[in-house]
Amino acid sequence: MLPSRIHVPPPSNPDPEDIFSSSLSTIFPDSNINSHGDPGGSLIYASPTYGDIHLRVPAHPDKEEGRQLFAHYLWNAAGVVADEIERAATSVGRANGKKEQDGRHWWDMRGERVLELGAGTALPSIIAAHASAKDIYITDHPLSPALTTGSIQENVKRNLRVVSTQEGVLDTNTKDGAPTELVSFSPTLYTESKAQNTQVTILPHIWGTGLSSPSSSAPSLAPSLAHTFTKILIADCLWMPSQHTNLVRTIKHFLQPLPTSRHASATSPTSSAEQKTVSSQPCALVVAGFHTGRSIVAGFFRTATAPPPPPPPTNQENGEAKEEGEVKGGGKLAIEEIYELDVNDGSKREFLEERPREGREEARRWCVVAVLTLRGGEEREGSGIGRGAG
């Protein structure tokens, strides 16, 4: 299913081998491929609604720190996020009760303020812009080749109609090789019915901190953006258990809390504007492949739903936390939805922390899809995750 949408564009004068290589995902749709493209190469994602999305895969980084980020591929999880957003965008006309029932409302980007973490090629953000998001912040680690080689900027410019640009320069000559200045685009996207203006901002960000660079002189952006995002997109960012706490802290810091009173469950048809008011709820949309280990993926959700830790020690003189640059996300994350998705045929099954008889090849074709919401410290029954033998 999803892997067959991704292919390598053949050269201008292809030989038979080039044609065969660029068609592998179509010829073998059931093969368990979880990453696509060559570092620094090109890919095409064939969107059923928005047409071909041309992507430059980030180049292979020179530094070991950059290589460990694995941004120099397009992963299946990014395609799953893109597909879910697109499916929600094409189901706008359905009655609200149905949208609530099938969970599609979580993925509706119309008018939303979106943050993507660990963006890589930024495919989910590009699809979110086409799906009428209002503001999109695309972020990755400052040492990621997605930023240092300019691939995110190139992908935004190529796939969104940029009508105005705020001046911004990627500074790759700093001692840590990280971009330290902001790049902002204002693309206007034309659909069949209207023009949609979306503000896209590209920023470096280090999870769990307010920093945009390992350099202490870099601007701190987290305070001004705290709790301002209604959708956070996270595609294949769970492979490092050492970063789970920082990722959770970042989600809690940037995500708007869920309203205490849900409007929701209208049973009669409503107008499009009313339907959006009913169904729009702030959430983090998390998709990750099991190729990195089911226990690692499950560990993230245990960390995410654990009770908040006690506040860190403070400096007695100024009352600030001792850990410099750390953001302190409050509240509790709850799992609204979680399931496993077969990226090849689109089938779904219950999410389980353990599947003892699951082989490596089977794991490669499945990913977890989860919706997390932020609550102001209240507990919610049924927000745990399953454990069992599959």
Side-chain angles (χ1 to χ4, degrees):
M1 185 185 72
L2 291 176
S4 65
R5 294 183 187 174
I6 302 168
H7 63 276
V8 178
S12 55
N13 296 310
D15 57 33
E17 185 177 349
D18 292 325
I19 297 173
F20 177 76
S21 298
S22 66
S23 305
L24 288 176
S25 60
T26 303
I27 299 172
F28 305 107
D30 292 329
S31 60
N32 300 327
I33 302 171
N34 51 30
S35 64
H36 306 269
D38 294 319
S42 297
L43 285 175
I44 294 176
Y45 174 82
S47 163
T49 305
Y50 308 118
D52 286 350
I53 305 297
H54 294 261
L55 301 170
R56 180 162 71 86
V57 180
H60 195 279
D62 295 329
K63 295 187 176 183
E64 180 63 24
E65 296 91 336
R67 288 192 289 273
Q68 292 175 352
L69 299 172
F70 293 102
H72 45 285
Y73 296 102
L74 174 65
W75 298 91
N76 279 343
V80 172
V81 174
D83 181 64
E84 292 288 353
I85 292 172
E86 188 167 345
R87 286 173 178 269
T90 57
S91 66
V92 166
R94 293 188 291 177
N96 181 67
K98 174 65 175 175
K99 283 173 68 64
E100 292 285 353
Q101 183 179 8
D102 67 13
R104 202 59 56 77
H105 63 289
W106 296 113
W107 300 86
D108 187 353
M109 297 290 133
R110 289 173 299 149
E112 302 288 0
R113 187 171 170 85
V114 180
L115 169 67
E116 183 174 7
L117 300 174
T121 63
L123 173 62
S125 288
I126 290 169
I127 296 296
H130 280 291
S132 301
K134 180 181 179 181
D135 295 291
I136 301 176
Y137 280 68
I138 307 174
T139 70
D140 211 325
H141 191 278
L143 295 178
S144 169
L147 288 174
T148 58
T149 66
S151 62
I152 291 180
Q153 289 79 356
E154 181 178 329
N155 292 341
V156 168
K157 288 180 178 180
R158 181 158 189 183
N159 294 287
L160 307 179
R161 186 175 182 272
V162 178
V163 296
S164 64
T165 303
Q166 176 181 317
E167 286 299 321
V169 179
L170 274 181
D171 178 6
T172 59
N173 295 320
T174 58
K175 64 179 181 179
D176 54 14
T180 58
E181 296 190 35
L182 314 185
V183 180
S184 179
F185 302 102
S186 299
T188 297
L189 309 177
Y190 292 96
T191 65
E192 293 181 357
S193 59
K194 63 180 181 179
Q196 170 64 35
N197 183 52
T198 301
Q199 178 75 25
V200 177
T201 304
I202 303 170
L203 301 174
H205 176 67
I206 301 175
W207 298 345
T209 76
L211 302 177
S212 296
S213 169
S215 169
S216 61
S217 62
S220 178
L221 300 168
S224 63
L225 298 176
H227 302 305
T228 63
F229 293 98
T230 54
K231 304 291 180 185
I232 297 181
L233 309 179
I234 302 169
D236 253 335
C237 292
L238 309 185
W239 75 96
M240 290 188 292
S242 63
Q243 289 300 312
H244 286 176
T245 297
N246 285 334
L247 181 55
V248 168
R249 188 180 291 127
T250 291
I251 296 170
K252 288 182 177 182
H253 180 80
F254 287 112
L255 184 62
Q256 281 188 11
L258 192 69
T260 53
S261 64
R262 293 193 181 183
H263 321 305
S265 79
T267 55
S268 58
T270 60
S271 69
S272 177
E274 290 171 336
Q275 181 174 326
K276 179 61 179 176
T277 300
V278 169
S279 63
S280 176
Q281 294 166 346
C283 62
L285 302 164
V286 182
V287 179
F290 290 116
H291 56 279
T292 55
R294 182 173 290 271
S295 62
I296 292 175
V297 172
F300 166 79
F301 293 106
R302 288 195 297 269
T303 299
T305 56
T314 57
N315 185 310
Q316 296 298 321
E317 294 182 3
N318 54 26
E320 296 179 352
K322 289 184 178 180
E323 185 67 27
E324 184 178 0
E326 184 180 279
V327 294
K328 299 176 282 297
K332 175 178 172 56
L333 290 176
I335 299 176
E336 300 289 341
E337 290 185 357
I338 189 167
Y339 56 89
E340 296 179 16
L341 176 74
D342 186 328
V343 298
N344 287 346
D345 64 19
S347 60
K348 298 179 181 180
R349 67 187 184 187
E350 179 188 5
F351 172 67
L352 297 176
E353 288 189 356
E354 299 174 356
R355 288 188 182 274
R357 294 186 294 274
E358 181 181 55
R360 182 176 180 181
E361 284 303 305
E362 181 186 1
R364 285 165 63 91
R365 66 183 292 162
W366 288 89
C367 65
V368 63
V369 180
V371 178
L372 304 181
T373 56
L374 179 63
R375 300 163 182 273
E378 62 178 351
E379 300 289 337
R380 177 175 185 265
E381 294 184 2
S383 63
I385 55 181
R387 176 186 294 272

